[in-house]
Amino acid sequence: MCALFIPRLWDYKSALKGRRNTAVLVILALSLLLGGCLLWAIKFIAHPTARTLLRVFVGLCLAAVVAYLVLASGFPTSLLV
């Protein structure tokens, strides 16, 4: 993911790597958007236990996305704690 922060990609290998990284970022952005929509939609579920379990599951999924972004950006693991 560090190739995304290079202002210009000069050779085709770097450009290909940047394109793959862009696809990963798009997937991560869509997953964050979907997670936010799911957190909003959970309030319409009547059963309290199901609602709580879904909140926990969606929260863990969003935490995994954030952890992936932090680690893939090159920050140390201790930053997650």
Side-chain angles (χ1 to χ4, degrees):
M1 289 186 62
C2 293
L4 289 175
F5 303 112
I6 297 173
R8 295 182 186 176
L9 298 172
W10 293 102
D11 58 346
Y12 71 95
K13 290 181 183 178
S14 297
L16 180 62
K17 187 175 181 184
R19 182 169 279 204
R20 269 191 251 135
N21 289 334
T22 304
V24 169
L25 288 178
V26 168
I27 291 169
L28 290 174
L30 288 175
S31 65
L32 287 173
L33 183 67
L34 180 65
C37 291
L38 285 176
L39 283 176
W40 173 80
I42 285 174
K43 68 181 177 181
F44 298 114
I45 297 174
H47 197 278
T49 304
R51 191 170 49 228
T52 302
L53 289 174
L54 281 173
R55 280 185 188 146
V56 169
F57 178 72
V58 171
L60 287 173
C61 291
L62 291 175
V65 169
V66 170
Y68 176 79
L69 285 174
V70 168
L71 293 176
S73 297
F75 290 104
T77 310
S78 60
L79 188 66
L80 293 175
V81 179

